[in-house]
């Protein structure tokens, strides 16, 4: 009897993270899903300290200003000593959230990854979840964004599934046609009931774009849930998104690693 082919999943980190950081934070899930090849990639845009904080809010307190200065120095040191730890983003939202500045470059990065190998699905967190849904939808109708094509052909077949953790619907002209009226890639939406970075109402705007969806909620906030029942559920879903899986939701205490570290959440909400 032949062994089942190993599943391959593209993994997209959140705003202010990077592939290395997110891979470590999902260490428990990677161990649970050793038979799944989880491919973590970096967003192309390196963030500066000013991108991570709301300066006007920070300046209201000398203590906060001191913290900002310290974090700025830490970020500069980290970037200088190990560029792989630099905070990154798939885009930066403009002031009124009508444009995702830099998304074109990120789509090009993912296009080039997709043309090089085959993936069964995509998993994203926060901004990465929003982007994962965009990529899933774009692979269904790649002609709607010609720059995604390679010699007139899509770089990859449509994905079998998408996992969006703390995702949201992006406001950008690129997204409007590919989400009209919806996209059909089977999508698992995971929402934190106490998430104040991407609130439930905002996540449900992305859920509404998904015509083939499953929604699961956990008791915690802005993180990928990591209790044993969630790890097993996610590993099983990646192995077979069409299997009948019992909901991992429970009243157990929240378990996960919040993001970002070293920044305040109100500032992050303004940047996503």
């Amino acid at each position: 009897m032949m062994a089942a082919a190993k599943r391959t999943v593209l993994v997209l980190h959140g705003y202010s993270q990077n592939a290395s950081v997110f891979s470590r934070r999902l260490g428990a899930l990677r161990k649970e899903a050793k038979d799944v090849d989880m491919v973590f990639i970096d967003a192309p845009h390196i963030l500066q300290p000013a991108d991570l904080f709301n300066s006007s809010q920070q300046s209201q307190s000398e203590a906060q200003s001191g913290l900002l200065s310290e974090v700025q120095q830490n970020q500069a040191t980290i970037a200088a000593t190990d560029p792989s730890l630099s905070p990154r983003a798939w885009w930066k939202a403009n002031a009124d959230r009508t444009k995702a500045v830099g998304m074109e470059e990120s789509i090009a990065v993912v296009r080039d990854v997709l043309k090089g190998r085959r993936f069964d699905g995509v998993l994203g967190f926060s901004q990465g979840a929003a982007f994962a849904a965009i990529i899933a939808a774009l692979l269904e109708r790649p002609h709607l964004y010609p720059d995604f094509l390679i010699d007139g052909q899509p770089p990859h077949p449509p994905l079998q599934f998408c996992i969006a953790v703390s995702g949201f619907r992006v406001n950008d002209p690129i997204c409007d046609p590919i989400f009209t009226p919806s996209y059909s890639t089977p999508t698992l939406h995971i929402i934190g009931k106490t998430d104040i970075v991407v609130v439930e109402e905002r996540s449900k705007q992305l859920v509404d774009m998904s015509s083939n969806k499953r929604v699961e909620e956990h008791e915690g906030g802005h993180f990928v849930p990591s209790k044993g029942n969630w790890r097993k559920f996610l590993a099983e879903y990646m192995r077979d998104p069409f299997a009948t899986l019992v909901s991992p939701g429970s009243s157990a205490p929240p378990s996960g690693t919040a993001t970002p570290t070293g920044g305040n959440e109100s500032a992050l909400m303004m940047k996503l």
Side-chain angles (χ1 to χ4, degrees):
M1 182 176 178
M2 294 182 61
K6 190 171 186 178
R7 307 285 280 179
T8 304
V9 178
L10 180 65
V11 185
L12 308 178
H13 62 77
Y15 184 90
S16 83
Q17 295 182 331
N18 58 51
S20 177
V21 167
F22 196 40
S23 176
R24 289 200 300 272
R25 290 188 178 182
L26 295 191
L29 176 59
R30 288 190 290 105
K31 289 179 182 178
E32 185 73 40
K34 289 182 179 178
D35 55 334
V36 177
D37 188 6
M38 299 177 68
V39 181
F40 294 76
I41 66 171
D42 276 324
H45 306 292
I46 296 178
L47 298 175
Q48 302 303 315
D51 297 318
L52 302 173
F53 293 90
N54 182 337
S55 299
S56 62
Q57 288 183 352
Q58 292 290 336
S59 63
Q60 293 174 6
S61 164
E62 290 183 6
Q64 287 180 325
S65 295
L67 174 62
L68 176 59
S69 177
E70 180 181 348
V71 171
Q72 287 176 326
Q73 293 174 13
N74 290 341
Q75 292 288 353
T77 301
I78 289 171
T81 58
D82 189 351
S84 70
L85 298 180
S86 296
R88 292 174 175 266
W90 300 104
W91 61 81
K92 302 176 189 179
N94 64 353
D96 56 1
R97 288 183 178 172
T98 58
K99 173 67 178 172
V101 180
M103 182 183 288
E104 294 87 350
E105 292 89 338
S106 291
I107 289 176
V109 166
V110 173
R111 177 200 62 202
D112 291 345
V113 171
L114 291 173
K115 75 178 182 181
R117 64 186 301 181
R118 284 289 177 262
F119 293 88
D120 297 288
V122 59
L123 182 158
F125 169 68
S126 193
Q127 191 186 71
F131 195 37
I134 291 168
I135 294 301
L138 196 52
L139 284 171
E140 294 177 16
R141 295 186 288 176
H143 62 281
L144 294 177
Y145 184 67
D147 286 348
F148 193 57
L149 301 173
I150 299 175
D151 296 329
Q153 298 298 317
H156 191 283
L159 297 169
Q160 295 180 31
F161 66 88
C162 171
I163 302 174
V165 184
S166 297
F168 54 91
R169 164 72 159 86
V170 181
N171 291 322
D172 187 272
I174 291 174
C175 304
D176 295 337
I178 65 172
F179 281 146
T180 302
S182 63
Y183 73 103
S184 61
T185 300
T187 301
L188 171 63
H189 299 270
I190 298 176
I191 299 172
K193 291 182 180 179
T194 60
D195 191 338
I196 65 170
V197 177
V198 178
V199 297
E200 188 170 358
E201 179 183 355
R202 196 170 176 211
S203 281
K204 287 185 175 178
Q205 292 175 0
L206 180 62
V207 172
D208 290 342
M209 297 295 101
S210 178
S211 64
N212 190 354
K213 59 202 169 200
R214 175 170 181 171
V215 181
E216 295 288 346
E217 294 187 330
H218 64 93
E219 298 296 326
H222 196 63
F223 52 73
V224 180
S226 62
K227 284 187 69 69
N229 58 330
W230 277 97
R231 295 198 308 270
K232 291 177 182 177
F233 172 76
L234 287 169
E236 288 297 331
Y237 186 90
M238 289 189 289
R239 293 182 187 114
D240 184 3
F242 307 106
T244 301
L245 302 176
V246 176
S247 172
S250 71
S251 58
S255 170
T257 303
T259 184
T261 57
N264 68 41
E265 290 184 328
S266 61
L268 182 62
M269 283 188 278
M270 298 183 66
K271 303 297 184 182
L272 290 176

